[in-house]
Amino acid sequence: ARTAVALAEPALQLMSVVEAHGSDAFLAPRIQALAGGASLADLARDDQVQALFAPLLREHVETRTAIESSAVMENGVLRFDLVGTGRERYNKFIAYDLFPDSRYTVSVTASDRRVKVSVGSNPWSPRPRTHDIAELCARYGGGGHPVVGAVSLASGESDAAGVGLYQ
């Protein structure tokens, strides 16, 4: 988890930028560079990539702090709420880096379009996963697969996201 959260590896920096800014216009020259023999490290060192990565890294560090300060762990389930922080996306491994003893995570985020409840299982937990997360999320109209899932609610329904969620 620490490697995925540190974002020090060139591939992870490039992934962060592509995830946020990966339009065809951005990707096409980089794919050509890779086809021409450039490495991921070469692409990640590019001035344009680093200029796009710098604010993403700042946001990532701020999000990590927000998760650390708002998270509550109970019976191996880590929960946190990022509604009102302006953070709709976050690195899902932050929780497992900060709270390695967590077995599951449940988070709530919001945007203008939706409220999202994300549920995941810690792949590094010493205790095995005993719940099918897709099945749990399906009860609330969501889905996923056995180890991760989500439920989307209408925008403005962040209060509803907590009803029965952590039980």
Side-chain angles (χ1 to χ4, degrees):
R2 178 142 302 142
T3 298
V5 172
L7 299 179
E9 297 297 320
L12 295 174
Q13 293 177 13
L14 190 59
M15 172 211 63
S16 298
V17 172
V18 168
E19 186 177 57
H21 303 287
S23 66
D24 289 349
F26 178 84
L27 290 172
R30 283 151 186 88
I31 292 169
Q32 289 173 345
L34 287 170
S39 69
L40 291 177
D42 294 334
L43 296 182
R45 278 192 299 266
D46 177 76
D47 289 342
Q48 182 185 14
V49 170
Q50 284 301 305
L52 293 169
F53 177 67
L56 295 172
L57 181 60
R58 279 192 300 276
E59 181 180 330
H60 173 71
V61 169
E62 291 168 5
T63 301
R64 185 183 189 281
T65 300
I67 291 170
E68 186 173 29
S69 66
S70 68
V72 174
M73 186 151 64
E74 199 172 344
N75 298 320
V77 177
L78 181 71
R79 64 181 195 265
F80 55 93
D81 183 340
L82 296 176
V83 174
T85 65
R87 299 176 197 322
E88 178 184 0
R89 297 179 305 131
Y90 66 94
N91 180 321
K92 303 299 189 266
F93 296 111
I94 290 172
Y96 308 129
D97 182 35
L98 290 171
F99 301 90
D101 293 333
S102 65
R103 193 168 170 195
Y104 298 100
T105 60
V106 179
S107 66
V108 182
T109 58
S111 70
D112 293 340
R113 299 181 332 266
R114 69 178 177 178
V115 172
K116 182 178 178 185
V117 180
S118 299
V119 184
S121 59
N122 183 348
W124 298 280
S125 175
R127 294 177 51 204
R129 179 182 54 80
T130 57
H131 298 81
D132 183 325
I133 292 176
E135 186 179 294
L136 292 172
C137 290
R139 293 182 198 169
Y140 299 94
H145 56 83
V147 298
V148 297
V151 176
S152 289
L153 304 169
S155 178
E157 290 189 13
S158 58
D159 289 344
V163 176
L165 183 65
Y166 304 128
Q167 299 173 356

